Amino acid sequence: MSMQCESHLSSTFYRKSCPNALDTIRKGIRTAVSRERRMAASLIRLHFHDCFVKGCDASILLDDAPSIISEKNAINNFNSIRGYEVIDNVKSQLEKICPGVVSCADIVSVAARDASVAVGGPTWKVRLGRRDSSTASLTIPEVESNLPSFRASLDSLISLFDSKGLSARDMVALSGSHTIGQASCVTFRDRIYNNQSEIDADFAKTRRRRCPVDGGDGNLAPLDLVTPNSFDNNYFKILKQKKGLLESDQILFSGGSTDDIVDKYSKSPSRFKSDFAAAMVRMGNISPLTGSQGQIRKVCSVVN
């Protein structure tokens, strides 16, 4: 599952078959993010959750069907993953100009890059040529075991990313995407009420206003309270202040092996952005379907 196939992907894959593909995706993503700034974080996360289960094959976009158990229903994704309609809209536009050419998997990959750029984040060359899977994950537990929990320990995070061919540095850099986006109360309630040693007291008090002990599970809070809509390195600064919103955020700076990486990124936004871009390229190379494998779906939520 962690096998990578960089040699089969190319940044110029659609140069002849659909020369306007990248411009079409860029415009669609820019429009979506301008309507809702939070969508940038959602599209980056969509790419991540796709690649970590079965590889970067757009399996996360498939709806339930007689032969498919949709990954959308896994606890890590249900009522959490967003942006499906943005991908669908871009796909419909591409089908009008280049029918049956651009895969949903490539759209998801390019959308993550364009979403980053739209909120001031780094850009990178997306290697293209992925094809779409004709199946989703065999079981919901398979999905859940391949995605990190908001309660994950540092060792489990490092191990999970290593199983995908990504280093601890890649893991910390990719976690930096939490400099944008929001999390629901249910994911950080335990941390703000029951963790006295690894959380800033004033920060916990502030977060409790929108996250009561009972109820309000879906209430949202920004992962980066200071600059929640800008892709910067402030995420790492708040970790050093014990103001990480999720347990899996704060664990990156809690006396463990990744403290030094967090410290470096907190001091150098350029280093963080460079490493983030490189990690996104590597993540996009996780087990792609290429050549005669898979298919090019006409509608991203349905197998042809």
Side-chain angles (χ1 to χ4, degrees), residues 24 203 229 257:
T24 300
F203 173 72
N229 293 315
S257 60

Side-chain angles (χ1 to χ4, degrees), residues 91-119:
K91 175 62 173 176
S92 67
Q93 294 179 48
L94 288 170
E95 284 298 300
K96 293 175 182 176
I97 61 173
C98 306
V101 174
V102 183
S103 70
C104 300
D106 276 344
I107 296 172
V108 171
S109 297
V110 176
R113 187 270 311 275
D114 293 344
S116 168
V117 173
V119 291

Side-chain angles (χ1 to χ4, degrees), residues 5 10 26 31 38 42 75 92 97 232 250 276 295 304:
C5 307
S10 166
R26 185 181 301 111
T31 298
R38 181 189 172 201
S42 297
I75 192 170
S92 67
I97 61 173
D232 54 30
Q250 194 59 56
F276 178 81
Q295 59 182 221
N304 295 346

Side-chain angles (χ1 to χ4, degrees), residues 191 196-205 241-243:
R191 174 160 162 72
Q196 301 304 316
S197 61
E198 289 297 324
I199 190 168
D200 177 85
D202 289 337
F203 173 72
K205 184 179 180 180
Q241 299 166 8
K242 295 188 176 182
K243 295 179 181 179

Side-chain angles (χ1 to χ4, degrees), residues 20-47 61 82-94 104-120 122 124 126 180:
N20 292 321
L22 296 185
D23 282 341
T24 300
I25 299 172
R26 185 181 301 111
K27 290 175 183 176
I29 301 309
R30 187 185 301 150
T31 298
V33 174
S34 67
R35 288 174 179 165
E36 184 193 7
R37 193 82 167 173
R38 181 189 172 201
M39 187 54 69
S42 297
L43 291 170
I44 292 172
R45 187 163 178 254
L46 177 65
H47 183 34
L61 305 179
R82 307 168 70 247
Y84 300 120
E85 73 286 353
V86 175
I87 303 299
D88 289 341
N89 180 55
V90 170
K91 175 62 173 176
S92 67
Q93 294 179 48
L94 288 170
C104 300
D106 276 344
I107 296 172
V108 171
S109 297
V110 176
R113 187 270 311 275
D114 293 344
S116 168
V117 173
V119 291
W124 56 90
V126 180
I180 53 176

